[in-house]
Amino acid sequence: MSGIVLWGVGTSRTLRAHWALQFLKLDYETRPIRTRTPAMAEAEYQAVNPRGKVPTLQDGAYTLTESAAIIAYLGERYGAPGRRLIPVDLEARGRYFEWMSFISMELDATALYVLRRHEGLPEIYGPAPDASAVARAYFTRMIGAAAPALGDGRRFLLGDDFSGVDILMTTCLDWSQRYDLELPQLFAEYRARVDAEPSTALALQANQPQ
Ligand SMILES: N[C@@H](CCC(=O)N[C@@H](CS)C(=O)NCC(=O)O)C(=O)O
């Protein structure tokens, strides 16, 4: 065994961590706990992640939370020529972190997670139709503003190579489809290209164990 353990299955955020591990072809053990189940509140998991959220990565004695950070860490630590999640070149790295921040803040936190809370879990967070309507419009505006970046014929967000920000973007695009949000044509075509990346199917499978 590699000593890598990933806690969490079944959500867009846990998929991101499984995807990074699958892309890098790392051997790891999955602790298949699911969000909002009693396992999340058990002492064993609280000791691993007191915030009580998934995913959490353990790499030997090192513990890391936050899906975007987990992708970046794994990419830095285990990437190799021809199999990189995060670029080496300084300006390309700047672009990576620009996408990482944009996707995490403007697509995930400000739009999709608002819909998840107020449309998906109104019994916990309360219905908020005005906030939901604004979140829908905001997602549409932000994804529309991002689309021209694909207009030069590039295959993925950073160019011709798949990277960690494609994992983040794809999980948000798929998440948006559950709320019937329309995607710009350039992103619909991009999403089809991501399906041809071999780690995509492996990650989806790893995130939904029997
Ligand atoms: N920003 C965190 C979000 C983690 C998160 O909210 N995970 C959800 C599942 S997708 C969760 O554990 N929710 C449990 C709760 O909020 O009680 C990340 O990207 O990892």
Side-chain angles (χ1 to χ4, degrees):
M1 258 299 163
S2 62
I4 300 178
V5 176
L6 181 64
W7 295 75
V9 294
T11 77
S12 301
R13 272 71 165 271
T14 59
L15 173 61
R16 296 169 181 171
H18 285 284
W19 201 335
L21 288 159
Q22 294 292 336
F23 178 86
L24 294 165
K25 298 186 188 297
L26 295 170
D27 191 22
Y28 67 103
E29 188 185 329
T30 300
R31 298 281 162 80
I33 62 169
R34 289 179 186 269
T35 182
R36 298 189 178 81
T37 62
M40 298 277 282
E42 279 175 14
E44 187 190 13
Y45 190 58
Q46 286 294 313
V48 173
N49 180 359
R51 294 179 203 162
K53 298 250 182 190
V54 283
T56 300
L57 178 83
Q58 292 179 303
D59 187 1
Y62 181 64
T63 300
L64 189 66
T65 65
E66 292 295 327
S67 55
I70 290 170
I71 295 171
Y73 164 77
L74 289 170
E76 300 274 25
R77 177 140 203 174
Y78 296 108
R83 187 152 295 277
R84 289 204 188 283
L85 280 175
I86 183 162
V88 175
D89 170 78
L90 202 56
E91 289 188 5
R93 289 171 68 80
R95 198 64 69 206
Y96 179 97
F97 289 113
E98 180 185 48
W99 277 114
M100 183 180 115
S101 184
F102 172 77
I103 297 164
S104 301
M105 291 306 302
E106 312 310 328
L107 301 183
D108 182 324
T110 315
L112 295 168
Y113 204 36
V114 172
L115 293 172
R116 170 71 178 141
R117 286 182 171 217
H118 298 299
E119 288 193 10
L121 297 166
E123 67 283 7
I124 300 174
Y125 296 105
D130 290 352
S132 294
V134 171
R136 284 177 175 279
Y138 190 69
F139 180 88
T140 301
R141 185 159 69 84
M142 286 296 108
I143 200 72
L150 295 170
D152 63 0
R154 65 185 54 212
R155 291 179 54 71
F156 298 111
L157 293 180
L158 297 184
D160 283 338
D161 294 329
F162 184 84
S163 77
V165 287
D166 295 302
I167 293 177
L168 291 173
M169 179 60 86
T170 303
T171 56
C172 285
L173 297 181
D174 289 0
W175 195 0
S176 77
Q177 298 310 281
R178 279 178 245 147
Y179 293 105
D180 295 324
L181 289 159
E182 205 171 321
L183 295 178
Q185 185 60 23
L186 283 168
F187 269 111
E189 291 164 7
Y190 161 88
R191 179 62 190 87
R193 286 195 293 279
V194 171
D195 264 339
E197 156 56 40
S199 62
T200 305
L202 295 172
L204 288 166
Q205 203 176 13
N207 193 44
Q208 297 291 351
Q210 290 309 307

